[in-house]
Amino acid sequence: MSEEHVVVIFPHPDDESFGASGTIAKYREQGIPVTYLCGTLGEMGRNMGNPVFANRETLSSYRKKELEEAAKQLDINVEFLGYRDKTLEFEPIEKVASHLKEKIEDLNATLVITHYPGYAVHPDHDALGAAAVEAVKKIDSHKRPDVWMHAISNNHEADLGEPELIYDITPYWERKLAAIKAHLSQADGMMSLLNDQPEQLERLKTERFYRYSFT
């Protein structure tokens, strides 16, 4: 896992913690910089804390602060891309891809981690993942970073086979859990569900990615 700069591209605060924070922690332990390009502030999320402490007007502020705290737990940089939650599927993909290409090149990324388009459950996940892949395609091949894609849908292995990259992140579990819990408005409800499903909780200790092939 030798890289120079890892760039994580997901649409919502907490996507990075649930989906890739063990892998992120591994890279940071090696001294490799990680930047999270967060697509939105997750302002349309359903969870408002448990007990409720946010509302539709204040949720974006809470989620921004929560991501900043998660970033401290993971020791990563965060840049907010400024898109609106639950609207990424309506953004012109070429426009978003050009925006991401500029960011990826400015950061000299050698690895991009994003969602697998079509296998990521949420329309924002699929749309930003597709734009990230298009962005990397636009980069000259000799400077092009690798792309790892995180699939979530129940049918992904039936359609795609087993992921090429499977990491046991148990050594980084405490950091991953701290990052998840930093997303206070979201984590309580999600962790309560996971605690009732021990097999799903155990699954969080493995992070799995498909490698995108540009050939």
Side-chain angles (χ1 to χ4, degrees), residues 6-173:
V6 176
V7 174
V8 179
I9 303 174
F10 291 139
H12 308 119
D14 78 21
D15 288 339
E16 83 301 331
S17 293
F18 279 98
S21 54
T23 302
I24 288 168
K26 171 74 171 176
Y27 280 124
R28 290 301 299 127
E29 183 181 70
Q30 297 173 352
I32 296 165
V34 177
T35 298
Y36 181 29
L37 300 181
C38 185
T40 80
L41 293 176
E43 65 272 17
M44 297 302 291
R46 293 180 181 178
N47 293 321
M48 303 280 181
N50 184 20
V52 172
F53 57 80
N55 57 45
R56 184 58 62 215
E57 285 70 36
T58 62
L59 184 60
S60 61
S61 297
Y62 279 111
R63 296 199 73 178
K64 184 173 187 287
K65 290 174 184 174
E66 289 167 359
L67 178 52
E68 289 167 350
E69 178 57 33
K72 288 179 186 176
Q73 296 293 336
L74 296 170
D75 189 29
I76 63 174
N77 298 316
V78 174
E79 295 186 28
F80 294 96
L81 297 176
Y83 297 103
R84 184 165 178 78
D85 193 17
K86 294 192 176 178
T87 69
L88 276 162
E89 63 185 303
F90 306 113
E91 294 282 350
I93 189 170
E94 285 297 317
K95 179 181 176 183
V96 180
S98 294
H99 184 192
L100 292 176
K101 175 178 180 286
E102 181 180 340
K103 294 284 189 182
I104 291 166
E105 290 184 317
D106 285 350
L107 293 165
N108 295 312
T110 55
L111 172 63
V112 168
I113 297 175
T114 192
H115 283 120
Y116 199 126
Y119 295 92
V121 177
H122 192 296
D124 281 352
H125 295 178
D126 289 331
L128 196 59
V133 170
E134 287 302 310
V136 176
K137 283 182 182 177
K138 293 174 178 288
I139 297 171
D140 290 342
S141 59
H142 67 284
K143 297 191 299 181
R144 187 179 288 156
D146 291 335
V147 177
W148 295 359
M149 299 181 296
H150 178 48
I152 305 170
S153 65
N154 291 334
N155 67 327
H156 71 270
E157 285 198 21
D159 287 359
L160 305 170
E162 189 170 71
E164 295 93 329
L165 304 163
I166 301 175
Y167 296 119
D168 176 5
I169 58 87
T170 303
Y172 307 99
W173 175 243

